[in-house]
C-alpha cells in the first residue's frame, strides 16, 4: 500500500491550506485594490452583472476579472449567483464612489504601492525595533508626505474617507455637553468637529492642526455650524489652544510612541481647566487571541510611523504620566473606542 501525503492526518492538510491562505494574504489586498480601481461596485449599483458585462465596462479581460471577483466573493465582497452574475454586498457597497461616507479612497490609500512595499519590510521593523518606512524611503513617513504632493493628497483623501463613518458614531456615542468649547487637537479637515457641532447647537469649536490640513477644512461651507468655530494652524508638540471645555485627540496618539504622546498630552493638560475633559479616540486593544482591527493597525503603525495601538492599562499609564486620570472607556459601533480622562490634580 502506498501512503498518500496527508492521508489519515487531516490536521496536516488543514494546516497546509490555512497557511497557503495566510501566506497569500497580499493577493487579497491586490484583488481589493483592483476592484476599487476598476470601480466594480459602481458598475453593480444598478443591479447584478456578469464578468463579461463588467469587463466590457471596465476595459478588462472577462476571464481574469471573474477569477478576481470570485476570490473577493469568498470573503463577502460581492456575491456570485448560480447564473454567473455578481451582486453587491453591504461590504462592497461601501466602496462605491457615489455613496455617503464612501470608503473607496481609504481602500486606495491602504493598498497604495508605498504601503505595500513598507509592509514587505516588516521583518526589518521587528529586527531593528523601529519603522521600516524611513529606511526604505529615506525619510520618516510624515516628512515623506510633505515632499510628495500626490501621496499627500491620496493620504488626506483616504483619511477623510476613513473618518466619515467614524465621526458620526463618535458624535452620537459620547454625551457631548450642550454648551462650551470643544478643541479638536490634530483634527485634520474637521469632520469630527463638524459632526459634534451639528448635534449640539450650543457648542462652539476650535479646529487645530498643521496648516496643510486646516487649509482644506470642511467647516466653512456648512450652514449648520456657521459662526460657531474657528480654525487654527499650529503644532501640538509645541502647544494647544487654551479655553477648551473638552479636548479631543482622534486617531492622533496611535501615530506616536509613548514619549511623543506624553508631550501632546502634557500640552493639553497645561491648558485644561479643573473641570475640563480630554477624549482620546483610538482602538483599545482587547486581551486574548480574538481578531480585532486594532491588532492589525498596531502592526501597521509599528512599520510606518513607530506608533502603536494600546490596551486600557497602557492608556491609563500614559495618562498618569501626563497628570491625567482615565475616568471611563466607551465602546462604539465603529472600530475606535472613546477614552475619557480628567485632570489628576
Amino acid at each position: 500500500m502506498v501512503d498518500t501525503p496527508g492521508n489519515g492526518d487531516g490536521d496536516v492538510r488543514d494546516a497546509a491550506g490555512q497557511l497557503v491562505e495566510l501566506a497569500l494574504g497580499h493577493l487579497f489586498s491586490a484583488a481589493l485594490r483592483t476592484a476599487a480601481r476598476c470601480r466594480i461596485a459602481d458598475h453593480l449599483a444598478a443591479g447584478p452583472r456578469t464578468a463579461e458585462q463588467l469587463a466590457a465596462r471596465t476595459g478588462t479581460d472577462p476571464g481574469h476579472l471573474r477569477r478576481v471577483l470570485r476570490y473577493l466573493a469568498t470573503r463577502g465582497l460581492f456575491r456570485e449567483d448560480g447564473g454567473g452574475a455578481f451582486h453587491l454586498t453591504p461590504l462592497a457597497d461601501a466602496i462605491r464612489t457615489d455613496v455617503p461616507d464612501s470608503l473607496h479612497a481609504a481602500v486606495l490609500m491602504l493598498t497604495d504601492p508605498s504601503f505595500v512595499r513598507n509592509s514587505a519590510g516588516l521583518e526589518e521593523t521587528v529586527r531593528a525595533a523601529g519603522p521600516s518606512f524611513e529606511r526604505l524611503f529615506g525619510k520618516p513617513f510624515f516628512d515623506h508626505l510633505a515632499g510628495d504632493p500626490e501621496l499627500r493628497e491620496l493620504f488626506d483623501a483616504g483619511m477623510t474617507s476613513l473618518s466619515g463613518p467614524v465621526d458620526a458614531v463618535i458624535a452620537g456615542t459620547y454625551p457631548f455637553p450642550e454648551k462650551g468649547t470643544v478643541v479638536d487637537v490634530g483634527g485634520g479637515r474637521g469632520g469630527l468637529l463638524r459632526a459634534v457641532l451639528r448635534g449640539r447647537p450650543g457648542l462652539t469649536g476650535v479646529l487645530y492642526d498643521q496648516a496643510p490640513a486646516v487649509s482644506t477644512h470642511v467647516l466653512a461651507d456648512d450652514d449648520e455650524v456657521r459662526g460657531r468655530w474657528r480654525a487654527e494652524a499650529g503644532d501640538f508638540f509645541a502647544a494647544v489652544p487654551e479655553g477648551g471645555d473638552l479636548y479631543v485627540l482622534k486617531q492622533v496618539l496611535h501615530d506616536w510612541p509613548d514619549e511623543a504622546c506624553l508631550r501632546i498630552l502634557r500640552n493639553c493638560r497645561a491648558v485644561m481647566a479643573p473641570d475640563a475633559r480630554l477624549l482620546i479616540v483610538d482602538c483599545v486593544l482587547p486581551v486574548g487571541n480574538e481578531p480585532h482591527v486594532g491588532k492589525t493597525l498596531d502592526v501597521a503603525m509599528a512599520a510606518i510611523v513607530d506608533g502603536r495601538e494600546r490596551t486600557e492599562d497602557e492608556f491609563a499609564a500614559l495618562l498618569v504620566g501626563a497628570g491625567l486620570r482615565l475616568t471611563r472607556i466607551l465602546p462604539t459601533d465603529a472600530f475606535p473606542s472613546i477614552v475619557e480622562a480628567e485632570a489628576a490634580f
Side-chain angles (χ1 to χ4, degrees):
M1 181 176 179
V2 178
D3 288 336
T4 302
N7 274 1
D9 193 352
D11 288 342
V12 172
R13 288 180 296 178
D14 288 347
Q18 290 175 38
L19 287 170
V20 167
E21 287 275 8
L22 292 171
L24 291 177
H26 57 90
L27 278 181
F28 192 85
S29 174
L32 176 58
R33 180 175 179 81
T34 298
R37 285 183 58 83
C38 293
R39 301 198 173 188
I40 298 298
D42 287 0
H43 291 291
L44 293 177
R49 298 188 190 279
T50 64
E52 289 74 16
Q53 292 170 326
L54 290 167
R57 287 165 171 78
T58 58
T60 56
D61 176 77
H64 286 78
L65 180 62
R66 179 178 182 271
R67 292 160 71 177
V68 169
L69 296 181
R70 178 176 59 189
Y71 177 38
L72 291 171
T74 65
R75 302 192 194 177
L77 201 79
F78 310 116
R79 177 178 65 83
E80 185 179 14
D81 63 27
F86 288 90
H87 299 242
L88 276 178
T89 61
L91 195 58
D93 195 66
I95 59 170
R96 287 170 53 189
T97 61
D98 59 348
V99 295
D101 295 330
S102 169
L103 291 169
H104 183 265
V107 167
L108 293 182
M109 175 191 72
L110 294 171
T111 60
D112 183 75
S114 62
F115 280 24
V116 174
R117 180 185 172 195
N118 188 68
S119 295
L122 182 61
E123 181 183 350
E124 187 174 352
T125 294
V126 173
R127 291 189 181 279
S132 55
F133 194 96
E134 183 172 353
R135 289 184 288 279
L136 288 170
F137 293 91
K139 294 180 181 178
F141 177 71
F142 289 111
D143 291 345
H144 182 76
L145 278 187
D148 187 336
E150 184 175 348
L151 183 60
R152 177 80 207 203
E153 183 178 353
L154 174 66
F155 179 76
D156 288 343
M159 292 305 297
T160 300
S161 171
L162 274 178
S163 292
V166 174
D167 292 339
V169 170
I170 300 303
T173 300
Y174 186 78
F176 286 90
E178 296 296 332
K179 296 181 179 180
T181 298
V182 176
V183 181
D184 194 355
V185 178
R189 299 180 63 198
L192 176 59
L193 185 58
R194 177 177 62 182
V196 170
L197 294 181
R198 281 175 172 175
R200 296 288 191 275
L203 275 180
T204 59
V206 179
L207 176 64
Y208 184 70
D209 208 326
Q210 293 183 325
V214 172
S215 65
T216 59
H217 69 75
V218 298
L219 299 169
D221 298 326
D222 193 317
D223 289 338
E224 290 186 58
V225 303
R226 191 177 302 279
R228 294 192 287 125
W229 58 269
R230 79 174 193 271
E232 184 176 332
D235 179 1
F236 50 47
F237 286 118
V240 301
E242 299 180 0
D245 299 289
L246 190 66
Y247 286 82
V248 181
L249 291 163
K250 174 176 172 280
Q251 293 179 292
V252 170
L253 298 188
H254 79 157
D255 285 337
W256 305 99
D258 287 354
E259 297 78 10
C261 289
L262 285 171
R263 290 170 60 193
I264 299 169
L265 290 169
R266 286 167 180 161
N267 285 337
C268 292
R269 174 65 184 89
V271 296
M272 287 173 60
D275 58 347
R277 293 290 184 272
L278 173 79
L279 303 185
I280 300 168
V281 180
D282 263 330
C283 291
V284 177
L285 297 181
V287 298
N289 300 313
E290 292 302 311
H292 190 278
V293 65
K295 295 176 182 180
T296 303
L297 289 174
D298 183 46
V299 177
M301 292 299 101
I304 299 170
V305 291
D306 200 22
R308 63 185 302 169
E309 308 297 336
R310 294 173 171 87
T311 64
E312 178 177 347
D313 288 346
E314 288 169 336
F315 274 117
L318 198 61
L319 289 165
V320 166
L324 296 159
R325 176 174 54 237
L326 193 156
T327 53
R328 57 177 168 166
I329 294 178
L330 299 178
T332 75
D333 289 335
F335 60 88
S337 295
I338 303 170
V339 179
E340 182 191 65
E342 64 182 6
F345 51 83

